[in-house]
Amino acid sequence: MPKNSTRLALVVSLIACATTNAAQAQTASGAIGTAQGQSADLFARDRGVSVRERGRPEYEALGLSLGTFAVFPTLQIDAENNDNVFAVATGADSDWIVRLKPEVQIASGWSRHALSAYARANISRYQDFDAENFEDWGVGASGRLDISRAANLNAGYDYASITEPRTSSNAPASTREPISYDLASAFFAASRTSGRVKLSGRGDVREFDYQDAVTLGGTIVDQDNRDRTITSLTGRADVALSPDTALFVQAATNKRDYDTAVSGLLPARDSDGYELLAGANFEVGAVARGEIAVGYISQEFDAAAYDQIDGFGARAQLEWFPTQLTTVTGYGSRTIEDSGIVGSGGYLSSSAGLRIDHELRRNILVNVDASLSRDEYEGIDRDDDRFQVSVGGTYLLNRNLGISVAASHFEQTSGGLAAGSEFDVNRLTATLVAQF
């Protein structure tokens, strides 16, 4: 069996193991759930609390009062060692990177309705390769209007300037500087619950604007053909069978409009697509919870130069709480993504992963995360496989200071006549967080 298939089987087996153990614990947890009483909300899945969700009041920032709002300033400082800065197969260069990540969040403290906003930045400085330096930033705001206890409206807007990582499969190789782009996004959502039925809908608009790059040889790398606007609409209906189980159906449609053609020979990648899913949302006492959905996905391109992409679609997340101090999370998906590779309109992306979080002490948390993904490109002979594993820990000194350390390994293999690059990247990171 190929190495990547073995890894994918291992990840899926671990997720299955966690699910099986949760099911075996259902009988024992039933009595506990009965004693605790049933939640009035048939769609609440809050009996179990994950390690990352658990409140730690003595280590949480108090924030600054601003009338009925609270302001939370944060400064994160990362020191990272990267042994393959340019994500290349041979001749890897290592470097030390310092990242400054200031952020300010503001949130309302109202009993009804909600309003929040943020501003953040990521200022990265390389010790040896200063052409890799960048200054990313983002701002955004969102709000919720509570029409009643069972119905609400949500809306939000975000704008960000982002640097594409060298490890991205869509990033062109051998550019003097990494690719950067601007992303503007907005959404509007509504939800209403009536008895055992919950109806929800959401509309999203995302606009990507990429900046051109220059190769080491001085050639312009045109990125205008990646500029696009994606509009999507999603509707969902949940029906509660019991206080801890609901079945749902979800339908989504999208339209992807590109600004320009790829080249003189290839037209723009404009397309229309949809996703039909059916699944279950459930909770097994205080032992496990999750959501699993399967169905069909399709993306059809306006130009005959690009093949239609369709097939099996899926989304899943399962959380198992073997003890109050440990959370095991399995996740996976199969979706259609846009391609930045000439000759391909898009690709099928399949991924699966497993994360374990453990609370050694109230203020000492450790985690390990492993994931595997496979991208199958349409229109060209290329498949990319990625494997990533990381381990880390966090020590909360007090409500204002915390430190973290992490180590990660990322590798990409690629096959086919149009195969991409193959490389490994190892990172060691130490982080200091100051919050107020």
Side-chain angles (χ1 to χ4, degrees):
M1 181 180 293
K3 178 171 64 174
N4 289 296
S5 299
T6 303
R7 286 174 176 158
L8 181 58
L10 174 61
V11 172
V12 173
S13 298
L14 289 171
I15 295 175
C17 179
T19 308
T20 301
N21 287 333
Q24 292 173 344
Q26 182 174 9
T27 302
S29 65
I32 298 175
T34 302
Q36 292 174 337
Q38 301 295 332
S39 171
D41 186 349
L42 295 176
F43 302 97
R45 304 291 180 254
D46 52 8
R47 296 183 190 176
V49 180
S50 69
V51 170
R52 286 184 288 173
E53 290 177 333
R54 182 170 299 119
R56 298 174 177 83
E58 64 273 35
Y59 297 104
E60 295 175 0
L62 297 176
L64 308 174
S65 179
L66 185 64
T68 59
F69 289 83
V71 182
F72 299 92
T74 303
L75 176 61
Q76 178 175 321
I77 304 174
D78 297 339
E80 175 189 312
N81 180 263
N82 184 321
D83 73 349
N84 192 354
V85 172
F86 300 101
V88 295
T90 59
D93 292 298
S94 63
D95 204 354
W96 281 96
I97 308 107
V98 175
R99 308 187 193 278
L100 301 180
K101 300 178 180 179
E103 180 174 356
V104 176
Q105 296 189 44
I106 181 171
S108 62
W110 308 329
S111 58
R112 288 191 63 196
H113 316 303
L115 187 63
S116 63
Y118 72 87
R120 64 172 65 108
N122 179 359
I123 304 168
S124 295
R125 291 293 180 266
Y126 287 68
Q127 179 178 349
D128 296 328
F129 301 100
D130 56 8
E132 297 297 298
N133 294 345
F134 61 82
E135 300 83 31
D136 289 351
W137 58 273
V139 294
S142 62
R144 188 190 72 244
L145 176 65
D146 296 323
I147 301 173
S148 68
R149 295 185 60 184
N152 60 64
L153 302 175
N154 293 267
Y157 177 81
D158 299 270
Y159 188 89
S161 176
I162 304 170
T163 299
E164 191 171 44
R166 291 285 190 177
T167 53
S168 171
S169 61
N170 289 323
S174 303
T175 57
R176 292 180 179 176
E177 299 177 352
I179 299 295
S180 62
Y181 63 95
D182 296 329
L183 172 60
S185 57
F187 78 91
F188 179 82
S191 175
R192 186 177 188 276
T193 302
S194 178
R196 293 180 175 270
V197 178
K198 180 178 181 180
L199 301 176
S200 58
R202 176 173 173 135
D204 288 87
V205 178
R206 292 179 294 159
E207 186 174 286
F208 296 81
D209 183 11
Y210 286 80
Q211 308 303 314
D212 292 344
V214 180
T215 66
L216 298 177
T219 303
I220 299 295
V221 182
D222 182 16
Q223 293 293 289
D224 290 340
N225 61 78
R226 298 177 66 186
D227 296 347
R228 62 193 184 276
T229 299
I230 301 177
T231 305
S232 61
L233 294 172
T234 303
R236 172 167 165 159
D238 292 69
V239 178
L241 303 181
S242 69
D244 53 21
T245 303
L247 301 180
F248 69 87
V249 291
Q250 178 175 304
T253 181
N254 71 78
K255 186 174 183 60
R256 306 178 183 184
D257 291 322
Y258 282 76
D259 291 353
T260 66
V262 175
S263 67
L265 299 177
L266 292 173
R269 302 183 180 98
D270 295 347
S271 66
D272 296 273
Y274 63 88
E275 177 185 65
L276 300 175
L277 298 176
N281 180 287
F282 59 89
E283 185 173 54
V284 184
V287 177
R289 66 187 176 196
E291 181 169 295
I292 300 176
V294 296
Y296 185 79
I297 51 179
S298 176
Q299 200 73 27
E300 185 171 357
F301 296 85
D302 294 353
Y306 304 110
D307 297 333
Q308 179 178 347
I309 306 174
D310 56 13
F312 171 72
R315 299 176 189 272
Q317 178 167 311
L318 305 171
E319 289 181 293
W320 172 42
F321 312 109
T323 72
Q324 292 185 351
L325 302 180
T326 303
T327 302
V328 181
T329 304
Y331 51 91
S333 67
R334 182 172 169 83
T335 59
I336 298 174
E337 304 297 334
D338 291 322
S339 170
I341 308 301
V342 175
S344 174
Y347 59 88
L348 276 169
S349 178
S350 305
S351 64
L354 186 74
R355 179 184 173 100
I356 301 174
D357 292 277
H358 181 70
E359 185 178 298
L360 289 175
R361 296 182 62 182
R362 186 72 171 169
N363 63 330
I364 302 178
L365 313 176
V366 294
N367 66 81
V368 60
D369 194 342
S371 63
L372 185 65
S373 64
R374 181 176 180 82
D375 297 339
E376 302 171 73
Y377 287 82
E378 292 294 332
I380 60 175
D381 183 16
R382 172 173 170 173
D383 295 323
D384 290 347
D385 293 290
R386 296 182 184 82
F387 173 70
Q388 183 166 354
V389 61
S390 63
V391 59
T394 299
Y395 175 42
L396 304 175
L397 284 76
N398 51 51
R399 68 173 68 253
N400 300 120
L401 292 174
I403 57 175
S404 299
V405 292
S408 67
H409 172 77
F410 177 97
E411 67 178 69
Q412 173 178 295
T413 58
S414 186
L417 297 177
S421 60
E422 301 189 354
F423 56 86
D424 296 345
V425 178
N426 296 294
R427 296 183 176 92
L428 294 174
T429 307
T431 299
L432 172 66
V433 176
Q435 58 184 19
F436 307 95

